Amino acid sequence: LADCGIDQLFIVPTLEYVWRDNNTEQKESWDEKLCQEAHAILEAERLAAEEAILRRQVVADELELVKQEEQKKYKNKYLPIPNTAIPTETIIIPSAYAMNKLRNGEYCELYYFTHQGLAKDESSFPSLDNDALMLTKLDNGTHSFIALSSAKAKASLVKDKDLSWEEVGQANLCMINTMRQCEWASVCVQMHINLWLAIETHE
C-alpha cells in the first residue's frame, strides 16, 4: 500500500476496513448458505411428513374398504345386539317356501300365514336341505324337478278364495311382519297395511 502512495497512517485502518468488509461478506454468504441448508432440511422433513400422512391415509382407506366389504358379506356378524328382554312368547316363523317367496318379492298364498298353515309347517318333518330337489309330475304330464320345500308347501295348500274371513285376519299380521323380516321397502309394507285396513273397515 505504501508503494501505491498511501500514507503510512492510513495503511492499517485501510487493511482493517478491507478485512472487515471481506469478513462481513463471507459471514453473510456463510449465513445465507446455512439458512438455505436449514430451509432445505425443513422442506425435506415437511415433504416426508406429508408423504407419511398420505401413506397412512391410503392404508386407512384400504382397511376401511376391506371392513365395509366384510360387513356387506357378513351382515349378521356386525349387526348390533339390541338390549331387549328375552321374549316370553313363541316366535312364529313361516315355512321356508313362504319366506323364499316374500324374500324374492313373489306372490305367496295367505294360507301359509294362517294359524293352520303355520302349525302345519311346524309339525311337518323338517328337511335337512329345503333347497333339495324332488321329481314331480306336472299338469301337462311331463316330469320336472322342483324344490322340496315347494312340494311340501303345495301339498297342504288352501287357496285364498277358500279361506275364512277369520283366517284372512290371522294371515294379516304374520304376513306383514314377515315382509319386514325379508327387508321389504317400508313404503310397500305400508301399502299392504293400508290395503288390509281398507278391507277390514269396508262396509
Side-chain angles (χ1 to χ4, degrees), residues 10-29:
F10 296 105
I11 292 177
V12 173
T14 300
L15 291 175
E16 290 179 351
Y17 173 79
V18 172
W19 181 86
R20 283 197 299 269
D21 186 57
N22 289 337
N23 186 59
T24 300
E25 184 178 349
Q26 290 178 1
K27 284 176 60 179
E28 291 177 352
S29 177

Side-chain angles (χ1 to χ4, degrees), residues 33-99:
K33 180 181 179 181
L34 292 178
C35 183
Q36 291 176 351
E37 290 178 351
H39 184 270
I41 292 173
L42 291 175
E43 182 66 14
E45 291 177 349
R46 184 185 67 81
L47 293 175
E50 289 182 354
E51 185 178 354
I53 292 174
L54 289 175
R55 284 199 301 268
R56 287 196 296 269
Q57 186 62 44
V58 169
V59 172
D61 291 343
E62 290 177 350
L63 291 176
E64 181 64 23
L65 182 60
V66 171
K67 182 179 179 181
Q68 290 177 2
E69 291 177 352
E70 185 176 0
Q71 288 177 346
K72 290 179 181 178
K73 187 175 181 180
Y74 306 103
K75 291 183 179 180
N76 294 335
K77 179 180 177 181
Y78 293 93
L79 285 177
I81 300 176
N83 186 19
T84 56
I86 298 175
T88 56
E89 299 179 355
T90 303
I91 299 176
I92 301 175
I93 301 177
S95 66
Y97 171 80
M99 292 290 288

Side-chain angles (χ1 to χ4, degrees), residues 162-173:
D162 297 326
L163 294 176
S164 66
W165 179 247
E166 181 182 359
E167 289 174 323
V168 172
Q170 293 170 2
N172 178 1
L173 181 60

